[in-house]
Amino acid sequence: MNKKSLSERDICTKFITPAIEKAGWDKQTQLLEEVSFTDGKIYVRGKLTARGKQKRADYILYYKPNIPLAIVEAKDNNHSVRAGIQQALDYAKILDIPCVFSSNGDGFLFHDRTATGENIEKEIDIDNFPTPEQLWEKYKMYKGIATPEAEKIASQGYYFDGTGRRPRYYQQIAINRTVEAIANGQNRILLVMATGTGKTYTAFQIIHRLWKSGTKKRILFLADRNVLIDQTRRGDFKHFKDKMTVVKHRNIDKSYEIYLALYQGLSGADEDANVYKQFTPEFFDLIVVDECHRGSAREDSAWREILQYFKNATQIGLTATPRETDTISNIEYFNEPIYTYSLKQGIDDGFLAPYRVIRVGLNIDLEGWRPEDGKLDKDGNLVEDRIYNRRDFEKNIVIDERTDTVAKKLSEFLKGFDRYAKTIVFCADIDHAERMRSALQRHNADIAASNHKYIMQITGDNDEGKRELDNFINPEEKFPVIATTSELMTTGVDAQTCKVIVLDANINSMTKFKQIIGRGTRINEEYGKLFFTILDFRNATDLFADPDFDGDPIRIKPVTEEIDLSGIVEEEETDTTPIIDEESGEEVEIVKPEIRYPEPNTVETGVREPRQKVYVNGVDVSVLVSRELYFDQHGKPITTSLKDHTKAIINGQFASLNDFLNRWNNTDRKEAIIKELQEQGVLVEALMEAVEKKVDLFDLICHIAYDQPPLTRKERANNVKKRNYFAKYGEQSRKVLEALLEKYADEGIENIESMEVLKVKPLNEFGSPVEIINEFGSKEEYLRAVKELETELYKTA
């Protein structure tokens, strides 16, 4: 057998897999081949989406399912045994795997991430692959598992529900690291995972493994909202069945093993309400705190007392947005995060939805508004003469026409996009949400007349709206479509099909901003939710450029702190910890009045009343500018021109125009180059829109990066016709190629490369795909004809 003639897959089947199995690895439970561990980043083209390339490992070897020990990268025998090691090491770092192998079928190169010095890498014979027991010892060393008791906990299996569901790679890392840390004696643990990445499923697997191993016998899951408890109980935690209870009405039953509870269901303003004290301090040996950036995050909060009462229990904090301020620190209490999975990583992996941002600037927001002399408010009072700007609107002063213009702009967007796209409008307060609902009703009277639930106010004070929250987040329910809210829907709302987020509130807290963006990041392919759009009326999306938006959490609070802050008054309140009703578990929204402070260099002689909102109308409000904000491949807003941004990427990829032309002409499918450039950060759709899609990407790149005069697609198609290129084909084949040429002129190169084009007009008028291909003699001949057509299209002479 000539190994050099075998494909990579043949090398795997004939040499690598048998060598691994011979070492004692069970093919059913310990050996997985061609493992795709990401879904592929989603790229948005107008209303269309496409998936990027998935990350795929040739082999992952497990001690038990979801406890990975090794990764093997295969190459064909024309490569050396070392050829795959760098890619394997990249994947091993992502997947938190200690043992790394590369093979070409002759043997293995073993890179040991637990070793140091000269022992890091060595070649081993094809017949001497390590056994599961040998690599398990390496894994224990890598994880610091040093005792039989810790090994028993760390090797406890996952829960399988029979559906074939497996944790995603980042969930697997979070679960394993947490269980292993607890096995090694760590009692305070922080997990940071972006909204929509499955924190509750992760928590369930952690709890179940610790519970089944007997390590933790009584577990408390704490949250601060009913919706979080209900979603947990009905979701993954349902597998605990009769071992689980939800603490309600302050009734304590000590016969269960898994407890779900609201902070406010366990504590209250008076001692009688502190029912958590009916448990002994040693009753729970594990407490999981959901959304730990809220509620108990403040050191002096009443809810923190619950955690301190059960201080001997292992405590795990879960959050997408850890709070780190001068006075509040999740890291101080729970320690540094044991694992962080960010929004950017989730989008890059294709597990979270990407976003488009449309910034809308209103004239009075950008230029300010000063009332004319003698301007009266709606109550007949004189409006204070000063310049009002975006920070004032809805806080100090309400302009009816501004609310109406925002509602009109949103309605126009939905009419051009999808009038039934689930939409959340984040307003400044309840009053604003109420008026926004009315304005949206006026601009969508046709649908609202047939179903009044088309637009609903869903706020903490509105019982009817709160009852519709479940319908809003249920993908199967058509109504409500638009929800106006303030604080209630910022967190804990699993809105899988939310396609539009509207920002019409000043957002000064990074924690709150990240939580709001998280309402749109979930993917639901069944219902066509693969991306979402942010309509920003307040420039809140400036926070995308802040390093803290997607960086690692950093502790800010000093270790020791004895500073008196009582005399300092901040202009903006930064504490976004919600006020929660003790009985219902629902958030209570408070409209904070503006306090008028003394002018500089004056002495305040008396106590002034809080400034109330002023309501005015009769103001000219219009949209001054509306533009899409573009982001680079790192998720940061692009601050240079689109042309300069693209030119820098192209020049980094191709050394010269000839280099680009050679690559373009020698690539069988041009779509592959387009996808590659997208992955590098070229904003294909934005570039196409800039020239009204009359030229294709080839000409755009040549023009932007190399100053070549662009040709429109129609001009390129006409050039092919002038050369009488089709004369060598038969009549029917010629008609097919002419139709493909017209298709190119109308739609671009990607469409004519797909076999699917033969199923649509006008190509399907020439017969079935098989009949069309037969006109060329074979599929290979047809593809060769298409390739030649592309060559003619891109001739530079």
Side-chain angles (χ1 to χ4, degrees):
M1 182 186 300
N2 181 10
K3 277 188 180 180
K4 301 294 184 186
S5 67
L6 298 178
S7 68
E8 180 182 299
R9 188 91 300 263
D10 288 336
I11 292 292
C12 290
T13 303
K14 295 179 184 298
F15 297 98
I16 300 176
T17 302
I20 296 172
E21 288 187 85
K22 183 183 175 184
W25 295 83
D26 187 323
K27 193 170 184 178
Q28 302 302 315
T29 61
Q30 294 182 305
L31 192 162
L32 284 183
E33 294 187 60
E34 297 185 289
V35 184
S36 293
F37 57 89
T38 69
D39 280 358
K41 185 175 181 178
I42 296 170
Y43 293 94
V44 182
R45 297 184 183 182
K47 293 183 182 180
L48 303 178
T49 57
R51 287 273 189 183
K53 189 177 180 181
Q54 297 176 334
K55 287 188 172 71
R56 191 181 73 178
D58 290 323
Y59 295 86
I60 298 180
L61 308 182
Y62 299 85
Y63 182 65
K64 289 183 177 181
N66 299 305
I67 304 177
L69 305 183
I71 186 167
V72 183
E73 188 61 31
K75 296 295 180 184
D76 65 40
N77 201 249
N78 294 298
H79 292 81
S80 75
V81 72
R82 301 170 176 272
I85 199 66
Q86 291 191 146
Q87 183 177 337
L89 283 168
D90 286 342
Y91 288 172
K93 184 178 180 182
I94 295 170
L95 299 172
D96 199 21
I97 292 175
C99 301
V100 188
F101 297 86
S102 171
S103 179
N104 65 351
D106 288 340
F108 295 91
L109 179 70
F110 176 25
H111 182 105
D112 185 354
R113 297 180 72 205
T114 70
T116 57
E118 296 179 359
N119 298 319
I120 291 177
E121 283 189 358
K122 64 179 179 181
E123 286 193 37
I124 56 179
D125 294 337
I126 193 73
D127 295 324
N128 289 321
F129 193 82
T131 66
E133 290 71 26
Q134 288 172 322
L135 295 192
W136 174 241
E137 292 302 315
K138 294 284 187 185
Y139 183 89
K140 288 192 295 181
M141 188 187 307
Y142 180 69
K143 296 287 190 173
I145 300 167
T147 67
E149 293 77 15
E151 181 177 358
K152 176 177 179 289
I153 298 168
S155 61
Q156 174 63 45
Y158 278 61
Y159 177 83
F160 292 96
D161 61 8
T163 65
R165 181 184 185 186
R166 296 171 54 87
R168 292 169 173 169
Y169 83 86
Y170 62 85
Q171 294 169 335
Q172 179 180 279
I173 295 171
I175 295 162
N176 289 343
R177 284 193 184 179
T178 303
V179 170
E180 289 153 4
I182 292 171
N184 289 330
Q186 188 170 328
N187 276 326
R188 295 291 182 272
I189 292 168
L190 180 62
L191 278 177
V192 179
M193 296 170 65
T195 300
T197 56
K199 289 190 293 294
T200 307
Y201 174 70
T202 301
F204 165 74
Q205 288 287 1
I206 291 168
I207 292 170
H208 196 276
R209 288 179 68 190
L210 294 170
W211 179 61
K212 289 298 285 186
S213 68
T215 309
K216 304 298 180 185
K217 296 179 174 62
R218 295 197 187 98
I219 295 111
L220 173 63
F221 183 91
L222 270 177
D224 66 355
R225 290 188 180 184
N226 272 334
V227 65
L228 296 174
I229 293 294
D230 290 342
Q231 287 175 1
T232 302
R233 175 181 59 83
R234 294 196 307 263
D236 298 302
F237 278 57
K238 66 178 180 288
H239 301 297
F240 286 122
K241 299 178 182 176
D242 60 355
K243 303 296 183 183
M244 180 179 69
T245 187
V246 177
V247 177
K248 293 180 178 178
H249 310 301
R250 305 191 189 281
N251 293 327
I252 302 299
D253 185 340
K254 300 178 184 177
S255 64
Y256 292 90
E257 297 175 51
I258 313 293
Y259 292 77
L260 309 182
L262 293 169
Y263 286 106
Q264 53 273 31
L266 297 178
S267 64
D270 54 65
E271 191 60 28
D272 290 341
N274 291 326
V275 296
Y276 67 88
K277 293 185 178 179
Q278 293 181 30
F279 297 106
T280 64
E282 292 75 30
F283 186 84
F284 294 111
D285 40 24
L286 175 64
I287 297 176
V288 177
V289 184
D290 196 18
E291 305 290 0
C292 69
H293 64 281
R294 308 185 327 150
S296 59
R298 190 182 291 276
E299 192 172 355
D300 59 357
S301 72
W303 293 352
R304 174 69 74 85
E305 292 180 8
I306 299 175
L307 301 184
Q308 291 170 336
Y309 181 79
F310 298 112
K311 63 185 178 183
N312 294 328
T314 298
Q315 297 179 14
I316 303 171
L318 304 176
T319 181
T321 53
R323 294 196 72 198
E324 298 301 323
T325 70
D326 290 338
T327 58
I328 298 171
S329 175
N330 283 136
I331 290 175
E332 179 183 53
Y333 187 80
F334 287 107
N335 296 318
E336 293 287 339
I338 202 166
Y339 185 61
T340 297
Y341 189 72
S342 67
L343 172 65
K344 178 185 180 299
Q345 191 63 54
I347 292 173
D348 286 346
D349 288 341
F351 296 128
L352 295 179
Y355 44 81
R356 298 172 60 209
V357 176
I358 298 174
R359 298 273 282 265
V360 183
L362 306 182
N363 58 338
I364 61 171
D365 289 3
L366 300 178
E367 299 170 348
W369 175 74
R370 183 178 181 181
E372 63 268 25
D373 188 36
K375 176 70 175 180
L376 303 179
D377 66 17
K378 292 169 74 172
D379 292 328
N381 301 312
L382 191 66
V383 178
E384 181 183 355
D385 182 21
R386 68 180 180 89
I387 296 176
Y388 296 87
N389 56 37
R390 187 186 285 123
R391 293 172 69 86
D392 293 298
F393 300 136
E394 305 303 336
K395 183 178 182 182
N396 304 320
I397 192 165
V398 172
I399 297 176
D400 285 351
E401 288 79 7
R402 187 189 180 283
T403 308
D404 187 75
T405 302
V406 172
K408 181 181 179 183
K409 180 64 179 177
L410 169 58
S411 302
E412 289 173 353
F413 172 80
L414 291 176
K415 287 171 184 175
F417 176 63
D418 175 5
R419 294 193 76 184
Y420 290 92
K422 292 290 179 88
T423 300
I424 306 176
V425 185
F426 287 96
C427 301
D429 52 34
I430 290 176
D431 168 62
H432 186 198
E434 188 177 276
R435 288 181 290 100
M436 184 62 70
R437 178 204 155 275
S438 296
L440 286 166
Q441 287 274 352
R442 290 195 300 274
H443 288 286
N444 295 274
D446 54 339
I447 299 179
S450 59
N451 192 318
H452 72 280
K453 292 182 179 180
Y454 177 68
I455 305 156
M456 294 293 293
Q457 174 192 340
I458 302 180
T459 51
D461 70 326
N462 190 295
D463 290 338
E464 184 179 356
K466 284 190 294 187
R467 283 193 294 270
E468 289 299 320
L469 180 56
D470 281 346
N471 288 331
F472 180 83
I473 65 179
N474 184 352
E476 296 181 359
E477 292 292 338
K478 190 172 184 178
F479 299 99
V481 173
I482 304 173
T484 66
T485 190
S486 172
E487 296 288 342
L488 186 64
M489 297 177 72
T490 57
T491 187
V493 177
D494 186 7
Q496 296 178 25
T497 55
C498 177
K499 294 183 178 180
V500 183
I501 300 285
V502 181
L503 305 177
D504 194 24
N506 295 320
I507 302 172
N508 305 293
S509 160
M510 181 62 77
T511 297
K512 182 176 179 180
F513 179 67
K514 289 166 95 170
Q515 289 286 343
I516 286 174
I517 298 306
R519 296 316 102 208
T521 55
R522 287 172 173 81
I523 291 172
N524 190 316
E525 298 199 40
E526 181 182 352
Y527 288 87
K529 164 64 188 302
L530 287 162
F531 71 97
F532 67 106
T533 302
I534 302 167
L535 257 62
D536 180 12
F537 290 88
R538 300 275 182 155
N539 281 10
T541 49
D542 282 345
L543 289 169
F544 280 128
D546 193 311
D548 288 342
F549 174 71
D550 210 46
D552 292 328
I554 298 172
R555 178 171 172 173
I556 298 172
K557 182 182 175 184
V559 176
T560 58
E561 183 179 77
E562 296 180 357
I563 302 172
D564 181 11
L565 301 175
S566 60
I568 299 175
V569 180
E570 295 184 354
E571 182 181 350
E572 292 290 339
E573 178 62 62
T574 58
D575 180 11
T576 58
T577 302
I579 308 299
I580 306 292
D581 181 79
E582 290 188 1
E583 297 299 326
S584 69
E586 300 294 352
E587 186 167 314
V588 178
E589 299 186 66
I590 305 298
V591 179
K592 300 185 183 76
E594 168 85 354
I595 306 298
R596 180 177 291 164
Y597 299 108
E599 295 296 323
N601 304 318
T602 64
V603 178
E604 184 72 22
T605 57
V607 178
R608 296 184 179 181
E609 291 296 318
R611 179 192 296 162
Q612 301 299 322
K613 284 186 182 181
V614 174
Y615 294 81
V616 301
N617 56 17
V619 177
D620 176 34
V621 180
S622 61
V623 174
L624 207 59
V625 62
S626 178
R627 68 181 183 89
E628 185 161 356
L629 189 65
Y630 297 113
F631 296 81
D632 63 21
Q633 67 269 39
H634 306 297
K636 296 299 181 184
I638 295 170
T639 54
T640 60
S641 71
L642 206 54
K643 179 180 178 180
D644 289 343
H645 171 75
T646 304
K647 186 173 183 177
I649 294 172
I650 299 301
N651 289 336
Q653 286 289 103
F654 304 101
S656 65
L657 174 60
N658 283 336
D659 189 22
F660 171 70
L661 292 176
N662 287 335
R663 177 72 186 284
W664 183 270
N665 290 326
N666 292 326
T667 300
D668 288 338
R669 289 178 63 83
K670 306 299 182 274
E671 189 177 10
I673 298 180
I674 295 172
K675 282 188 176 181
E676 183 181 317
L677 291 172
Q678 279 186 313
E679 290 173 2
Q680 293 298 320
V682 173
L683 301 166
V684 174
E685 187 65 25
L687 288 171
M688 301 298 277
E689 287 179 358
V691 293
E692 299 179 350
K693 301 185 180 181
K694 291 180 180 178
V695 303
D696 67 12
L697 190 63
F698 173 86
D699 281 281
L700 278 176
I701 290 173
C702 290
H703 177 62
I704 289 171
Y706 306 111
D707 297 320
Q708 298 296 302
L711 295 177
T712 66
R713 289 195 301 270
K714 201 162 195 66
E715 286 172 330
R716 287 194 173 277
N718 287 335
N719 287 344
V720 174
K721 292 175 184 177
K722 290 174 186 175
R723 289 195 288 266
N724 200 24
Y725 165 71
F726 300 125
K728 64 179 182 177
Y729 292 99
E731 181 182 356
Q732 195 71 356
S733 298
R734 188 165 61 248
K735 287 180 179 178
V736 170
L737 290 171
E738 287 172 347
L740 286 174
L741 193 61
E742 291 301 321
K743 204 77 174 167
Y744 161 80
D746 291 339
E747 300 174 10
I749 196 68
E750 303 100 298
N751 286 324
I752 73 169
E753 290 186 331
S754 169
M755 298 295 289
E756 294 297 312
V757 74
L758 301 180
K759 299 178 182 178
V760 299
K761 288 184 177 181
L763 278 302
N764 60 3
E765 296 171 1
F766 302 119
S768 69
V770 173
E771 290 171 333
I772 293 172
I773 288 170
N774 286 341
E775 288 291 331
F776 291 83
S778 67
K779 182 178 179 181
E780 289 71 24
E781 290 298 323
Y782 167 77
L783 292 174
R784 185 176 293 112
V786 173
K787 173 70 175 169
E788 289 179 0
L789 174 59
E790 290 181 347
T791 302
E792 288 295 316
L793 278 168
Y794 295 110
K795 273 186 176 177
T796 54

